[in-house]
Amino acid sequence: MKEVIVIRRRRAWEWQLRDQSGILIMGGREKSRPAARYQGYRALFMLLACSWRGNDLETPRPSAARGEFRPTQ
């Protein structure tokens, strides 16, 4: 199950889309709460529509700390 979270941050509303283990998948900021909810649920719908899976993400190897990016295989 994926979860959409809407949080108030100063003058903006922040939306976050997280997976079951709490890992951030997508996020953004909007000026109003309804806009943040809409964008969050829109992102969730788009992920479900294209059948996204958690193992689709490429995780960087430890060499990424030096500025190099090598996707895992």
Side-chain angles (χ1 to χ4, degrees), residues 18-47:
R18 296 184 175 264
D19 68 358
Q20 298 155 327
S21 57
I23 297 173
L24 181 66
I25 299 171
M26 292 178 143
R29 289 182 183 223
E30 303 297 328
K31 290 185 179 182
S32 69
R33 186 173 186 268
R37 282 186 47 139
Y38 173 80
Q39 291 297 334
Y41 283 114
R42 182 174 181 237
L44 177 61
F45 174 78
M46 293 303 288
L47 284 175

Side-chain angles (χ1 to χ4, degrees), residues 52-59 72:
W52 180 85
R53 294 184 312 268
N55 56 1
D56 286 347
L57 290 178
E58 294 181 351
T59 55
T72 58

Side-chain angles (χ1 to χ4, degrees), residues 60-71:
R61 292 185 182 174
S63 63
R66 296 190 307 263
E68 301 170 14
F69 177 77
R70 295 182 190 156

